[in-house]
Amino acid sequence: MPDYVAVLAINAGVILALFVVAWAVCVTMRDCTPVDSLWGLGMGLVAISTFIQTGGGTPRRVVLTAICVAWALRLGGYMLWRWRDHGPDGRYVRMLDKAKAERGWGYGYAAFRLIFMLQMPMLWLVCLPVQLGQIASEPAQLGVVGLIGAALAVFGLIFESLGDWQLVRFRKNPANAGEVMDKGLWRYTRHPNYFGDACVWWGLWLVASETTLGLFAVVGPAYLLFTLTRWSGVPTVEGRMRRRKPGYEDYMRRTSGFFPWPPKPPETV
């Protein structure tokens, strides 16, 4: 069996074990919201698993693992805090209630099939750069492309962290109740967290792409970009915000949807 197949298979088993344990805990609590934290923490675990399997030690492996783990701890920790601060995610509550009412599915079965089973392969796919990028031992040193990728990934991590911090501060202020967040980074992009995520994973792919096998990991960040901009990210969030906040339509007209850009001037009558 080729080395890369063994590594990917073992990592798939690690993800499966992690999600099965998390599923059992969530079913016991009757709350699936913590699964969101696994999106980050699980990728960090996969990066560490790959680092151990490949022997670690090379600059490329260290950079890929270190950046991924930093991103994972930041995102996973933030999602756990948000769960404890905001309570159960209404999306999951409605999804599981609907499965019970329309299909007669029990809570545990519906949770595993509709939430956990869907996210497991997505996680494995998106984090291909930190898997395939570590397998080849040569070239061990980062070249120009790898250095650019590392810088892009660190930039993305800082960008999304700052955006989330600004949003938390905005929401904690009672005076902003019902208002649209359009300050700080949110003045230049409607989704600084998604843009930052994309920068992190495209950057990690650039680091991985200096190896032949790592080039094929492009499907990971490409799929992530698709989900963020066309599927479960931007469309879901903006549909909800347009229903809840009257001023969001105007915010959409003047603010870039993804890439940061200076806002358009207010429309005049």
Side-chain angles (χ1 to χ4, degrees), residues 67 145-159 195-207:
I67 294 177
V145 173
L147 291 172
I148 292 173
L152 177 63
V154 171
F155 165 78
L157 177 58
I158 295 172
F159 195 91
F195 173 74
D197 253 358
C199 287
V200 169
W201 285 97
W202 279 107
L204 289 174
W205 174 73
L206 287 175
V207 175

Side-chain angles (χ1 to χ4, degrees), residues 33-211:
T33 309
V35 72
D36 290 338
S37 66
L38 296 187
W39 185 250
L41 296 176
M43 293 191 191
L45 186 59
V46 167
I48 293 172
S49 170
T50 308
F51 187 82
I52 294 172
Q53 292 180 69
T54 57
T58 69
R60 189 177 317 284
R61 290 169 180 162
V62 170
V63 167
L64 285 170
T65 302
I67 294 177
C68 183
V69 169
W71 173 85
L73 291 174
R74 203 289 306 181
L75 180 61
Y78 172 69
M79 297 307 293
L80 285 174
W81 170 84
R82 195 170 74 170
W83 167 53
R84 301 305 298 170
D85 188 66
H86 295 180
D89 191 319
R91 295 173 303 161
Y92 296 140
V93 173
R94 291 188 295 271
M95 181 187 301
L96 297 178
D97 286 346
K98 183 178 180 180
K100 180 179 180 180
E102 296 183 358
R103 304 183 184 183
W105 290 356
Y107 189 92
Y109 177 75
F112 190 79
R113 179 165 177 175
L114 299 177
I115 299 173
F116 287 82
M117 192 169 72
L118 177 65
Q119 293 202 25
M120 282 188 290
M122 291 171 58
L123 188 155
W124 180 87
L125 180 65
V126 171
C127 66
L128 278 177
V130 298
Q131 299 183 76
L132 298 182
Q134 293 193 64
I135 292 174
S137 58
E138 297 294 338
Q141 300 293 330
L142 269 65
V144 174
V145 173
L147 291 172
I148 292 173
L152 177 63
V154 171
F155 165 78
L157 177 58
I158 295 172
F159 195 91
E160 66 176 342
S161 300
L162 180 57
D164 281 340
W165 177 75
Q166 291 173 340
L167 183 61
V168 168
R169 284 175 55 88
F170 179 83
R171 287 177 171 172
K172 288 294 184 181
N173 187 346
N176 295 326
E179 298 296 321
V180 175
M181 171 55 161
D182 60 356
K183 300 174 177 61
L185 297 181
W186 300 82
R187 171 178 169 82
Y188 303 99
T189 168
R190 302 197 297 271
H191 303 281
N193 47 353
Y194 293 160
F195 173 74
D197 253 358
C199 287
V200 169
W201 285 97
W202 279 107
L204 289 174
W205 174 73
L206 287 175
V207 175
S209 72
E210 291 188 322
T211 70

Side-chain angles (χ1 to χ4, degrees), residues 206-250:
L206 287 175
V207 175
S209 72
E210 291 188 322
T211 70
T212 301
L213 196 57
L215 279 170
F216 293 95
V218 68
V219 296
Y223 179 73
L224 176 66
L225 186 63
F226 169 76
T227 61
L228 290 178
T229 59
R230 302 297 179 187
W231 184 26
S232 62
V234 171
T236 300
V237 171
E238 296 199 333
R240 184 171 66 249
M241 295 296 287
R242 291 168 73 179
R243 292 190 299 269
R244 293 181 179 179
K245 297 190 176 185
Y248 200 79
E249 291 278 3
D250 181 61

